[in-house]
């Protein structure tokens, strides 16, 4: 599903204009971005899941083209953990 399809579905289900739905979706995405920028960034949305930032340690890797060993620097990465209700919903989907 694309962003445009999400906006269309939101507009239909909420009975609002597509412009209002797009504004609401952009506000949600912006709030998630702002929350994750913070030092202990984390945002939990009931029935959806939790967005958070994890610290990945530095590690050794291999360049697959040259087989040369390389060092991969430590990094902060965004992660999403689905809620139990979302996991159950997906498992039961046919």
């Amino acid at each position: 599903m694309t962003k445009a399809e999400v906006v269309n579905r939101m507009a239909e289900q909420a009975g609002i204009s597509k412009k209002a739905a797009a504004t609401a979706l952009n506000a949600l995405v912006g709030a998630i971005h702002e929350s994750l920028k913070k030092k202990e960034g984390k945002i939990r949305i009931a029935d959806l899941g939790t967005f958070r930032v994890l610290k990945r340690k530095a590690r050794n890797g291999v360049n697959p083209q040259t087989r040369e060993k390389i060092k991969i620097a430590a990094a902060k990465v965004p992660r999403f953990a689905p809620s139990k209700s979302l996991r159950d919903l997906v498992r039961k989907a046919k």
Side-chain angles (χ1 to χ4, degrees):
M1 182 175 264
T2 65
K3 183 177 179 179
E5 292 170 334
V6 171
V7 167
N8 288 338
R9 176 109 16 119
M10 286 173 60
E12 285 177 16
Q13 290 183 357
I16 57 176
S17 69
K18 289 181 185 179
K19 185 175 181 179
T23 301
L25 181 58
N26 289 335
L28 173 65
V29 171
I32 292 169
H33 287 190
E34 288 299 317
S35 176
L36 295 180
K37 280 186 200 178
K38 294 180 181 175
K39 189 173 183 176
E40 296 287 325
K42 183 175 176 181
I43 186 167
R44 182 177 173 276
I45 302 172
D47 296 328
L48 181 62
T50 303
F51 295 89
R52 61 188 172 138
V53 176
L54 291 181
K55 294 178 184 174
R56 191 168 37 187
K57 294 180 181 179
R59 62 194 193 281
N60 294 321
V62 177
N63 181 333
Q65 291 180 338
T66 63
R67 305 228 189 264
E68 177 185 353
K69 290 186 178 184
I70 57 173
K71 287 210 175 237
I72 301 171
K76 291 181 181 179
V77 293
R79 286 291 181 251
F80 173 74
S83 67
K84 183 177 182 329
S85 61
L86 180 60
R87 283 193 312 264
D88 292 344
L89 179 79
V90 170
R91 285 181 186 145
K92 292 177 184 177
K94 292 184 180 182

